[in-house]
Amino acid sequence: MNTLFDKIWDAHVVQNVENGPTQLYIDRLYAHEVTSPQAFDTLRDKGIKAFRPERIVAMPDHNTPSDQQERIDDPVGRKQVETLKRNCEEFGIKHFAMGTKDNGIIHVVGPEKALSLPGMTIVCGDSHTSTHGAVGAIAMGIGTSEVAQVLASQCILQQKPKTMRINIEGTLPAGTTAKDVALYIMARMTTSGATGYAVEYAGSAIRSMSMEGRLTLSNLSIEMGSRAGIIAPDEITFAYLKGREYAPKGADWDKAVEEWKKLRSDDDAVFDKEVTYRAEDITPRITYGTNPGAGIAVDGNIPQLNDIPEAERDQFLSMLNYMQFQPGERLEGHPVDYVFLGACTNGRIEDFRAFASVVKGRKKAENVVAWLVPGSWLVRQQIIDEGIDRVLAEAGFELRLPSCSSCLAMNPDKVPAGKLCISTSNRNFVGRQGPGARTVLASPLTVAASAVTGKITDPRKL
């Protein structure tokens, strides 16, 4: 009667504290430059070494520029990146430095190198750690003090969340992607609808989804309040991981797969909550507000004020005021100033293939500034090997260097105040892409269609 989450959790319990949290063993800690310095200082202050440094992987990504990687001009960002390098050297931790072939966004590199594997417990001082749950792992974002716990003991003190299963049954319509599925779920459940839960995604639409799609969906779990997102590993998972750098090899691979096949919720497993949506109801989506749950179909209209519960109307009007939209307005056809393809949400090879499939034979709109940023150096090399870079160049787009880039305003790729960016990233909070910047979230297909028309465009029309 156990869920997949229960099975992995229970296998990693060191001890249960009476009337308190669980001491949970962690298989993999990822560290980046923003949330790790204080954790390393904690160990240094206490005279403690990293307990199992071979279980830890670090790389800079938030502050990394996407136009060049010879230097970081911002003194704060430069210090964070340099401090991470020094900490890794001192504590004996694997470090993928900026500009090297191993570097990229931590939540892209982990799965693509098979550092994230089925059955693992994975943590990082970053909320979008939920991404790694797509391989069939428990993956959670943690705070700086908890990063220190894992560095010192390879364990964490954690309350076990409740479980929820979200089923997507049926076949997704043409033009609908995993990003649209995530935006649809958030609009239906709200950004707090899964608070206190670990979510398992299931159903026929999930089983037919690519690994890149599953990684996108799991990435956005945190945006509806979930502690983690997880998908049972299957043949698609195994095919994706096989042969990758840190995957088991030879007989060890065969043995691992046999164990991974057991990682599924029992047929009679009982979840604390279960919801089901029809894939056929999900069309390309776009956001209109300042949280990822404030979204509509790309060919739909922003809700009218009377459609909003009275207690939420002030917040609704505040969002629209910031975004410079009106109740009932149709966003399709609205001019855009910037487009961004990338982030740990949509910076993988499948996302660039999708973008290229729309812009091929067309030209970038003159009024649009475009940032196309792969999630890792491996993804960038795949883009070049497949000739996607030439398709992009012929359409007037520049392929940039791996970085978190315009997902957040911690590097040079900032959207100017008042400008509207259509983005494949995960958050559209006030100022997320730069002070005063306005963000609408969408899939790579919708962003591509908008990039060549210069306005919000339903990709199905191209």
Side-chain angles (χ1 to χ4, degrees):
M1 291 180 60
N2 284 330
T3 69
L4 169 58
F5 185 88
D6 291 330
K7 290 180 180 181
I8 299 174
W9 180 279
D10 292 347
H12 288 79
V13 170
V14 177
Q15 65 172 327
N16 288 303
V17 179
E18 189 174 351
N19 299 318
T22 301
Q23 183 185 9
L24 196 70
Y25 182 78
I26 299 301
D27 293 306
R28 178 76 67 213
L29 168 66
Y30 291 113
H32 59 63
E33 76 274 29
V34 179
T35 57
S36 67
Q38 300 91 337
F40 283 108
D41 284 345
T42 299
L43 265 66
R44 200 176 283 114
D45 291 345
K46 295 180 181 298
I48 300 172
K49 295 181 179 179
F51 181 58
R52 290 194 171 157
E54 72 279 2
R55 293 280 184 171
I56 306 166
V57 177
M59 69 198 78
D61 53 13
H62 283 52
N63 290 287
T64 306
S66 71
D67 57 342
Q68 55 75 37
Q69 294 187 356
E70 300 301 316
R71 67 187 187 280
I72 296 175
D73 294 328
D74 174 59
V76 175
R78 183 170 64 251
K79 184 178 181 181
Q80 287 182 334
V81 170
E82 290 170 350
T83 300
L84 179 66
K85 182 175 185 289
R86 286 198 306 273
N87 282 331
C88 288
E89 288 171 351
E90 179 180 344
F91 288 92
I93 289 165
K94 190 185 298 291
H95 176 247
F96 296 152
M98 183 177 84
T100 64
K101 68 177 179 61
D102 293 314
N103 183 254
I105 304 173
I106 208 160
H107 306 313
V108 174
V109 173
E112 77 178 10
K113 285 186 172 294
L115 285 160
S116 301
L117 294 171
M120 277 187 166
T121 48
I122 299 168
V123 295
C124 175
D126 185 280
S127 55
H128 293 106
T129 307
S130 56
T131 309
H132 306 262
V135 303
I138 291 178
M140 301 178 290
I142 57 174
T144 297
S145 61
E146 294 169 308
V147 173
Q149 285 178 20
V150 181
L151 284 170
S153 68
Q154 208 57 37
C155 292
I156 191 173
L157 294 173
Q158 195 77 191
Q159 293 285 357
K160 186 178 182 180
K162 295 181 288 186
T163 56
M164 178 191 298
R165 182 159 60 189
I166 298 177
N167 305 293
I168 310 292
E169 298 291 357
T171 303
L172 293 172
T176 299
T177 70
K179 181 64 165 288
D180 300 304
V181 173
L183 292 174
Y184 177 86
I185 293 171
M186 283 186 279
R188 293 291 299 269
M189 293 188 60
T190 78
T191 50
S192 60
T195 300
Y197 292 90
V199 171
E200 179 179 342
Y201 299 100
S204 55
I206 305 301
R207 289 193 296 274
S208 61
M209 207 175 265
S210 67
M211 271 308 300
E212 286 88 353
R214 296 176 187 190
L215 289 160
T216 294
L217 184 59
S218 296
N219 174 271
L220 287 156
S221 300
I222 189 67
E223 305 305 339
M224 54 185 181
S226 174
R227 198 74 190 85
I230 191 168
I231 297 172
D234 58 15
E235 294 302 328
I236 290 173
T237 319
F238 309 148
Y240 174 86
L241 293 171
K242 189 173 185 179
R244 293 185 182 266
E245 188 172 354
Y246 292 93
K249 303 292 190 294
D252 289 338
W253 169 261
D254 296 333
K255 183 180 177 183
V257 169
E258 286 308 305
E259 290 302 310
W260 295 342
K261 286 178 178 178
K262 300 172 187 175
L263 293 174
R264 54 186 295 275
S265 292
D266 295 334
D267 293 339
D268 56 356
V270 177
F271 291 79
D272 294 298
K273 185 174 182 180
E274 188 154 8
V275 292
T276 300
Y277 300 112
R278 293 177 63 247
E280 290 78 9
D281 294 338
I282 308 174
T283 58
R285 308 281 300 178
I286 194 160
T287 60
Y288 62 82
T290 54
N291 70 69
I296 53 174
V298 70
D299 58 352
N301 293 66
I302 296 173
Q304 295 285 359
L305 189 60
N306 289 340
D307 298 329
I308 304 298
E310 194 167 347
E312 299 172 16
R313 288 179 187 175
D314 285 349
Q315 181 188 15
F316 173 71
L317 290 172
S318 176
M319 285 197 306
L320 293 188
N321 181 58
Y322 180 84
M323 292 299 296
Q324 301 175 28
F325 297 148
Q326 297 296 323
E329 183 179 351
R330 187 180 182 87
L331 292 188
E332 190 178 9
H334 195 291
V336 296
D337 305 299
Y338 283 73
V339 300
F340 172 52
L341 171 67
C344 57
T345 316
N346 286 118
R348 298 176 183 83
I349 186 61
E350 182 179 278
D351 304 309
F352 280 82
R353 289 172 185 154
F355 188 97
S357 73
V358 174
V359 306
K360 186 174 185 178
R362 296 184 167 96
K363 292 290 183 183
K364 181 181 78 66
E366 291 184 4
N367 64 301
V368 165
V369 175
W371 289 324
L372 276 52
V373 186
S376 71
W377 283 92
L378 177 60
V379 171
R380 194 175 193 276
Q381 190 58 51
Q382 285 178 286
I383 290 167
I384 294 167
D385 291 345
E386 294 182 18
I388 293 172
D389 61 323
R390 295 192 297 275
V391 173
L392 298 175
E394 287 166 7
F397 296 94
E398 173 200 1
L399 180 66
R400 295 170 79 91
L401 304 180
S403 162
C404 284
S405 182
S406 189
C407 178
L408 77 174
M410 288 188 69
N411 56 71
D413 295 351
K414 295 179 179 66
V415 176
K419 298 296 184 182
L420 183 67
C421 178
I422 183 166
S423 173
T424 65
S425 52
N426 40 51
R427 286 183 172 160
N428 52 346
F429 299 163
V430 170
R432 172 77 176 180
Q433 290 189 290
R438 301 180 296 142
T439 303
V440 293
L441 303 177
S443 76
L445 291 176
T446 303
V447 170
S450 305
V452 295
T453 61
K455 54 195 178 186
I456 294 172
T457 300
D458 186 338
R460 295 169 296 185
K461 295 182 178 178
L462 297 188

